[in-house]
Structures are given as C-alpha cells and as structure tokens.
C-alpha cells in the first residue's frame, strides 16, 4: 500500500505564546498524555483542504519540491528556525518529532511509512550546512528525518502564505532585527493525496495523538484499498466501492464527497497537443472547441438536470474514476433503475472514434449525445424541445451559452458543448508509448515487452487493434462478430437464477418465479438492428485498448470481468457461429503467455489519467 503523508506545519511565537501560557509552564507535548485516546481506526479524519507545495533545499543543497517528499510516506513537517529559544516554540516541535522517531523505533512496520521534515523559515541564517549540523543531534538511527531550508525568503514566502502563516520579525528599539520571530504554532496532518486531514495547535501537539491519527489514516486506507493497492487505484475506484460485496465479511468503505475534491486542468491542452502516442485530433473537433465550449460541456456532463426527473447525469454512467465507464455493473442502468442492454463504454480518446455506440450507428459526438438524452431507459427526456426548454429556464446557463456560442441552448449548441468536453478526454503517454514512440528502453517491464511481441505476433491482436508508425489508436475502426453477442442470445441457460440477498448470502430461484419482478432485456443483435443485413448479426465495433485496465467489465454486454478473461476468450477462438469474423481463431497461448498479454494491456494506461479524473472531481455538480 502506498503510504500517506503527515505534514506538521509549525508557527511559533515567543510573544503570542507568552500571552496565553504562564511563564515556565510546559506545553502538553512534553508530558504524558492526560487522557486515553480513541482506538486507531475507530474514528475518521475528514479532508479539510489541499496541502501546499513549494521549492525547498535539502541539507545537501539540492533543490526539491515539497510535493516530491510527499505521497510515498507519512511525513511530519515542522517549520522552525535553529536559534529559537522559546521552550514552547521550535524546541517543542523538534521534541515531539524526536519522541515520535524514538517510539517508532520499536514499531518498524509503522516507522518505514513515516518521513520527518524540518524546514527552516530563516533561510538567511539557516543554510543547508547549518540545518545538517542542527539535525545531527536529533536523528535516531536510520529513521527518515530530513532537515530543509529555502534558497531565500522570497522563495519561501508562497509556502507560508499557502498555509496562512503570518511571520513577523522582531526588531529592537533601534530597528535592528533581533533574530527572533512572532508566529503561531500549528500542525497539519496530510494524507497521501496531499489533503489536510487535521490541524493541531500548541495545546494539542503530542506524540501520542499524532501517532494515533497516523494509525487511523493507515487503518482506514487499508480497509478501503487493501495492502497492495496504490494511490492511483484509490483515485480510480468507486466512491461507494462494493468490491467483494459477495464476501460474508464485506465492510463498506465509501469515500466522503469531501475526500473526492480535485483540481481543474487546462483541458484544451489535451486536445490541441494530445499526449505522446496519439495523432492530431480530427479537424472537426479542433475547429469546434475553445475554453468556453469545453467549460459549458463539462458543466452539462455533470448536471443531473439533463435527465427527465433531474436525478441522472452523463457522469453517473461514465464515471470518471472508473475509466469514464462503470466498473460496478455489467450493463448500464438509467433513471429509476431502468435496465440498459449494453455495457457503458469508456470515453477516453472518444473523439478519435469513427463509430460511436457499441454497434457504431453514429459517427459524430455532437449527434451521438442525443441518443442517451432521449432514450427511455437512460436519461428519458421525452423530446429535444423538452430538454432545450428546461435549459432555457435555468438562469445559471444563460451566460454560459452566450459566452460559448453567442446564442442560447439549442439541439446544435448542446451537442457541440458536450462534444467539446469529451474531445478533451485524451489520454496516452503510457509506458507503451514511452517505450515504442519515445524510445525509452526501460519504460516497459519484461512481461509487458513479451506481451507486445505476442500482441503483434502469435496472438494477432494488432490485426484489429492497430498500431501505426507514429501513433496508435488500437482500433481498426471496423465492426466484427466475435461470438460474444451470439452466445448471449442463442446460448442462454433457462432455469434458475442466482440472486444475492446480502454480503455472502445467495439463493437460487427458478426464473419463472421472477416473472413480473424483473424485466428481461431484449435480445441484442448488434449492427443488424441498424442495417437489417443478416451478415451484420452480432457485429460490434472494435474498441480502443488505451486505458483498458480502467474500464472493466469488458465486451458490449460486460460479460467478461477481467482482462485475463478477455484474453482467454480469444485464446479459445471466440464463440463459433455462422457470422464469426475470419480473424477469430484459437491462439494456442499458454497460461504464461496469457499473463504476458495482460501485462502489456496494463501498460496502456495514460500518464494524464489522474489529471483528467482530478479535473472531473473539481467540476460543478448540478442540483
């Protein structure tokens, strides 16, 4: 599990502390804790606000960013100056950190997840060498404790402002700086996502309480993600994650909305200069988008008012942290729980798709968006005019449409706005891209490299999921019958259905006893439903494989849960039927080769996925 970050920001004041504390009275951090703390993990620490970044110098005079020192370990960061003589000021901060380092020497599993950072706010006096000597008296064994300073006061000032720290130099009667400062003591607890989770003052800074809160964050995080999950996996999972719901010991570990805040991204850059591995965006979209149309489309995408009963937005099927698809359901569910026949497709790189919807019945995003907006089992608007009138009657949209299109809502402007936002969801610069197009020989792992050779060789995947010389969309932009649709329609098993009543509790019920309780999905015949050509039965478009690791379950009906299941399906030669694509045939892959192919597919996740998800978290959500 990727570690958390604990940042201690200390603001110390000789004058202000003296005003509130009697002379010679030591702060609680020097004494035994006077109460029994709560059991770690029995309480939660909500997100308060994002932590701040800034440039600092190590004791070796190396320039680094504070964010570079966060994210892989828990961190206690104290702001001090080496010549401070206030016993309840800088010495208190250093003493608490020293106590923590000594206590955790007996707890190596917790100790290895902590980093202590002590940063001077007096860079003129506290040079890197001064901080090195200062730290020599406090370091305990090989505990990770780093002593930092800044290049100058100007460099440090943005950090102090970001944490709302008001430092005041103390001058004597002659106007000479005395070498002392006036400021307040605060301690910030920050998680691995660089969000502030708690703020301590002088009266509450104690080694025992800090360690207790650190254990709480680790305990809650462990429950939510498991020991092997990385921070990116936390970012991309569902807010109310029901993984392992089938287990009898299932425990909920949903994330509060406050924990899911993001930072806006400059989305237009992902369209005007797509990441490594993607070609230029089609001209039809580059001419369409600007910052105003993107912002309007983003607002519409997350607004539930676009549905008939104001309960359902585009993002409730295309969930940003789940690959702009839905990891929790094989097939989508619309308003009022209405069933949809097909799996929610990912929207990453969707502007490059020449065929839209699983059957490829549309070819432009601004046209495609009206399909789900009007579908009875999706957003269920009874007509185009109904939705347009609703937007015209929404005061908050008037200025947005005027700024983007110099006119109000219409079928055309709504379509163009939503298309503009989706045209920015371009994600590449994956490990594969850096290896193949960037010529970085170390970018791909050995299993992924073996998987690539299988992908373009023995397995024949690239016959449909094409790779070009200078870019790769991993699709031939065509339709194929793989047999998945045929099996879903023609090989259905009639009899009992397995239902889940509670975590770990299942019952088998005769299908006939469920008649009237659930609505069976209509047979799905693929592109045949559009073309009425019998040779198009169960033909579906070739999806891109970029970011495929984020968009399980797979296939048009969500029938395959994992990438390994997908590879094994093709390894068997698909499902035979009279219209099966001639490209589908048994592959003869060993289990080791299947694993290597999966490793390659896992290496197709773009480097900017986090930025796009974070931007989505920052988007306004309509009432």
């Amino acid at each position: 599990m990727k570690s958390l970050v604990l940042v201690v920001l200390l603001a110390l004041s000789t004058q202000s502390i003296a005003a509130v504390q009697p002379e010679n009275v030591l702060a609680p951090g020097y004494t035994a804790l006077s109460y029994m703390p709560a059991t770690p993990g029995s309480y939660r620490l909500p997100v308060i606000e994002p932590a701040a970044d800034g440039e600092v110098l190590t004791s070796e005079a190396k320039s680094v960013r504070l964010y570079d020192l966060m994210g892989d370990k828990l961190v206690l960061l104290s702001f001090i100056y080496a010549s401070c003589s206030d016993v309840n000021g800088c010495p208190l901060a250093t003493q608490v950190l020293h106590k923590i380092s000594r206590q955790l020497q007996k707890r190596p599993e917790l100790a290895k997840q902590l980093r202590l950072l002590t940063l001077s706010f007096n860079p003129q006096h506290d040079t890197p060498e001064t901080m090195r000597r200062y730290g020599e008296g406090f370091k305990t064994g090989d505990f990770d404790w780093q002593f930092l300073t800044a290049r100058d006061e100007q460099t440090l000032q943005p950090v102090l402002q970001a944490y709302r720290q008001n430092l005041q130099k103390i001058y004597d009667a002659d106007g000479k700086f005395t070498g002392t400062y006036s400021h307040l003591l605060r301690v910030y607890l920050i998680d691995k996502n660089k969000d502030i989770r708690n703020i301590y003052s002088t009266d509450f800074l104690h080694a025992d309480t800090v360690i207790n809160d650190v254990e709480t964050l680790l305990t809650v995080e462990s429950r939510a993600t498991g020991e092997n999950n990385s921070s990116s996996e936390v970012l991309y999972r569902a807010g109310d994650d029901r993984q392992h719901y089938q287990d009898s010991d299932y425990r909920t570990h949903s994330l509060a909305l406050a924990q899911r805040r993001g930072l806006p991204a400059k989305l237009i850059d992902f369209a005007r200069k797509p990441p490594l591995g993607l070609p230029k965006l089609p001209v039809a979209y580059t001419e369409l988008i600007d910052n105003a149309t993107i912002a309007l489309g983003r607002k519409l995408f997350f607004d539930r008012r676009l549905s008939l009963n104001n309960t359902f937005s585009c993002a409730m099927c295309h969930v940003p942290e789940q690959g702009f698809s839905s990891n929790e359901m094989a097939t989508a569910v619309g308003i009022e729980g209405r069933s949809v026949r097909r799996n929610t497709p990912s929207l990453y790189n969707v502007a490059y798709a020449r065929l839209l919807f699983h059957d490829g019945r549309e070819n432009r995003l601004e046209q495609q968006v009206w399909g789900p907006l009007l579908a009875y089992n999706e957003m269920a608007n009874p007509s185009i005019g109904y939705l347009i009138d609703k937007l015209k009657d929404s005061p908050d949209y008037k200025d947005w449409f005027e700024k983007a299109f110099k006119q109000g809502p219409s079928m055309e402007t709504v379509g163009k706005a939503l298309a503009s936002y989706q045209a920015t969801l371009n994600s590449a610069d994956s490990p594969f891209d850096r290896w193949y197009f960037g010529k970085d020989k170390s970018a791909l792992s050995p299993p992924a490299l073996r998987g690539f050779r299988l992908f373009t060789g023995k397995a024949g995947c690239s016959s449909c999921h094409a790779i070009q010389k200078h870019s790769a969309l991993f699709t031939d932009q065509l339709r194929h019958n793989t047999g998945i649709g045929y099996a879903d329609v023609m090989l259905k098993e009639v009899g009992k259905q397995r239902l889940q009543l509670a975590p770990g509790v299942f019952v088998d019920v005769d299908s006939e006893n469920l008649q009237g309780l659930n609505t069976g999905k209509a047979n799905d015949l693929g592109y045949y439903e559009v073309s009425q050509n019998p040779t198009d039965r169960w033909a579906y478009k070739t999806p891109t494989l970029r970011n495929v690791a984020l968009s399980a379950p797979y296939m048009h009906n969500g029938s395959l849960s994992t990438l390994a299941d997908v590879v094994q399906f093709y390894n068997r030669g698909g499902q035979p039927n009279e219209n099966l694509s001639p490209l589908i045939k048994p592959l003869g892959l060993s289990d080791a080769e299947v694993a290597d192919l999966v490793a390659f597919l896992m290496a197709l996740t773009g480097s900017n996925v986090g930025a796009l998800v974070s931007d989505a978290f920052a988007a306004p959500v309509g009432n």
Side-chain angles (χ1 to χ4, degrees):
M1 178 183 70
K2 194 173 183 181
S3 302
L4 306 172
V5 177
L6 175 63
V7 176
V8 178
L9 180 60
L10 304 175
L12 314 164
S13 171
T14 303
Q15 281 73 20
S16 59
I17 292 177
V20 298
Q21 296 215 22
E23 188 175 359
N24 299 325
V25 174
L26 295 178
Y30 288 109
T31 62
L33 199 61
S34 60
Y35 58 90
M36 181 66 68
T39 303
S42 65
Y43 58 95
R44 289 183 178 271
L45 298 169
V47 172
I48 298 173
E49 63 181 348
D53 190 18
E55 182 185 354
V56 296
L57 294 177
T58 68
S59 57
E60 291 79 30
K62 179 182 178 181
S63 177
V64 297
R65 306 287 299 181
L66 280 177
Y67 272 10
D68 294 336
L69 303 173
M70 302 178 185
D72 64 325
K73 290 187 177 184
L74 290 163
V75 175
L76 276 172
L77 168 65
S78 61
F79 280 62
I80 69 159
Y81 63 106
S83 59
C84 178
S85 60
D86 176 14
V87 68
N88 288 332
C90 302
L92 168 64
T94 305
Q95 179 68 14
V96 168
L97 268 63
H98 188 53
K99 280 186 176 181
I100 290 172
S101 68
R102 285 190 289 110
Q103 288 184 34
L104 295 185
Q105 288 296 303
K106 302 175 183 179
R107 304 177 64 183
E109 289 303 311
L110 186 56
K112 71 181 182 181
Q113 299 188 71
L114 282 173
R115 174 179 295 130
L116 308 184
L117 301 178
T118 296
L119 172 60
S120 171
F121 51 70
N122 185 10
Q124 184 176 0
H125 176 269
D126 295 340
T127 64
E129 176 61 20
T130 300
M131 293 304 292
R132 184 189 66 79
R133 294 196 305 268
Y134 179 83
E136 287 178 349
F138 299 106
K139 296 190 69 172
T140 305
D142 58 355
F143 199 90
D144 189 356
W145 191 350
Q146 300 184 32
F147 292 82
L148 312 169
T149 186
R151 180 177 291 107
D152 49 42
E153 292 182 357
Q154 184 177 1
T155 304
L156 183 63
Q157 193 59 33
V159 177
L160 300 177
Q161 290 178 345
Y163 286 100
R164 293 188 289 275
Q165 297 299 306
N166 296 316
L167 291 180
Q168 293 183 355
K169 292 182 177 180
I170 305 301
Y171 297 87
D172 60 20
D174 297 326
K176 184 179 179 180
F177 176 46
T178 63
T180 59
Y181 292 83
S182 172
H183 53 99
L184 298 174
L185 172 73
R186 289 182 186 145
V187 173
Y188 294 75
L189 173 62
I190 299 178
D191 65 19
K192 64 185 177 64
N193 293 322
K194 301 164 188 172
D195 286 325
I196 296 172
R197 303 295 286 272
N198 207 353
I199 302 175
Y200 313 91
S201 63
T202 303
D203 289 335
F204 296 97
L205 179 61
H206 196 286
D208 293 346
T209 57
V210 171
I211 291 176
N212 207 65
D213 286 346
V214 167
E215 288 188 87
T216 291
L217 285 182
L218 290 172
T219 300
V220 172
E221 188 66 21
S222 178
R223 290 173 183 168
T225 66
E227 288 297 328
N228 296 321
N229 280 5
S230 70
S231 63
S232 63
E233 291 171 318
V234 176
L235 182 64
Y236 307 142
R237 71 173 174 82
D240 186 12
D241 190 350
R242 296 185 181 87
Q243 291 188 50
H244 309 297
Y245 188 76
Q246 70 276 13
D247 299 337
S248 58
D249 60 349
Y250 169 83
R251 295 183 63 177
T252 183
H253 34 65
S254 59
L255 295 176
L257 285 176
Q259 294 175 261
R260 296 162 60 77
R261 294 183 306 166
L263 295 173
K266 193 175 181 182
L267 295 176
I268 199 169
D269 288 349
F270 297 132
R272 289 179 173 169
K273 188 178 180 181
L276 178 67
L278 290 175
K280 291 182 178 180
L281 204 64
V283 174
Y285 295 116
T286 57
E287 293 178 346
L288 171 65
I289 63 174
D290 58 31
N291 287 320
T293 61
I294 293 169
L296 174 58
R298 179 173 174 263
K299 178 177 170 65
L300 289 166
F301 188 86
F302 292 93
D303 197 333
R304 290 173 288 175
R305 290 175 292 179
L306 265 65
S307 64
L308 172 65
N309 59 2
N310 303 322
T311 64
F312 213 82
S313 71
C314 305
M316 293 176 74
C317 276
H318 299 281
V319 184
E321 66 270 31
Q322 297 179 46
F324 281 89
S325 59
S326 177
N327 301 154
E328 297 182 276
M329 294 179 288
T331 56
V333 172
I335 70 167
E336 299 179 340
R338 299 173 188 176
S339 298
V340 179
R341 292 186 302 172
R342 295 174 180 171
N343 176 258
T344 301
S346 173
L347 295 182
Y348 281 126
N349 305 313
V350 69
Y352 294 98
R354 298 175 193 166
L355 303 176
L356 299 167
F357 294 109
H358 284 291
D359 55 24
R361 65 184 184 272
E362 277 290 2
N363 54 26
R364 286 293 300 269
L365 285 170
E366 54 266 53
Q367 299 162 178
Q368 177 273 335
V369 298
W370 285 100
L373 288 172
L374 298 176
Y376 170 79
N377 58 351
E378 296 188 54
M379 301 176 82
N381 289 288
S383 68
I384 296 169
Y386 176 87
L387 179 56
I388 297 302
D389 287 344
K390 181 189 286 188
L391 291 173
K392 287 180 177 178
D393 292 338
S394 301
D396 57 316
Y397 271 111
K398 181 178 179 181
D399 291 342
W400 288 75
F401 275 93
E402 286 294 329
K403 184 176 181 180
F405 298 109
K406 304 297 188 293
Q407 59 177 294
S410 68
M411 185 179 185
E412 180 182 16
T413 56
V414 170
K416 285 184 174 181
L418 283 166
S420 294
Y421 172 61
Q422 293 178 80
T424 69
L425 302 179
N426 303 315
S427 178
D429 187 36
S430 66
F432 161 77
D433 295 308
R434 295 191 290 276
W435 172 76
Y436 191 82
F437 299 113
K439 309 304 179 184
D440 180 355
K441 295 182 179 180
S442 64
L444 273 190
S445 68
L449 183 57
R450 294 193 298 268
F452 169 76
R453 291 168 181 157
L454 290 165
F455 187 90
T456 56
K458 178 179 179 180
C461 310
S462 59
S463 297
C464 296
H465 299 283
I467 301 173
Q468 288 77 37
K469 183 177 180 180
H470 299 294
S471 62
L473 295 179
F474 289 93
T475 175
D476 58 5
Q477 307 278 15
L478 299 174
R479 304 178 188 88
H480 299 279
N481 177 330
T482 67
I484 280 282
Y486 170 84
D488 196 30
V489 173
M490 304 301 291
L491 304 180
K492 284 182 179 178
E493 294 185 6
V494 179
K496 293 183 179 294
Q497 286 186 240
R498 190 167 178 80
L499 303 180
Q500 184 170 2
L501 305 181
V505 181
F506 296 85
V507 294
D508 293 320
V509 180
D510 289 331
S511 297
E512 61 183 26
N513 293 334
L514 296 175
Q515 292 182 8
L517 298 178
N518 64 340
T519 302
K521 296 177 183 177
N523 288 338
D524 190 337
L525 301 180
Y527 190 59
Y528 168 78
E529 296 177 5
V530 179
S531 72
Q532 298 297 296
N533 185 337
T535 62
D536 289 328
R537 284 177 295 171
W538 306 300
Y540 301 92
K541 75 167 189 175
T542 303
T544 178
L545 295 182
R546 287 196 173 277
N547 303 294
V548 69
L550 306 178
S551 59
Y554 303 102
M555 316 308 277
H556 76 277
N557 59 356
S559 59
L560 301 180
S561 299
T562 67
L563 288 172
D565 293 339
V566 175
V567 175
Q568 289 289 15
F569 171 78
Y570 288 112
N571 194 29
R572 295 191 297 270
Q575 177 61 53
N577 68 91
E578 62 180 291
N579 291 328
L580 183 68
S581 169
L583 296 173
I584 306 297
K585 55 188 177 181
L587 303 177
L589 301 177
S590 66
D591 288 346
E593 288 173 323
V594 169
D596 287 342
L597 259 180
V598 170
F600 173 70
L601 296 174
M602 298 287 286
L604 300 180
T605 301
S607 65
N608 65 326
V609 162
L612 292 171
V613 174
S614 181
D615 176 82
F617 283 178
V621 178
N623 292 326

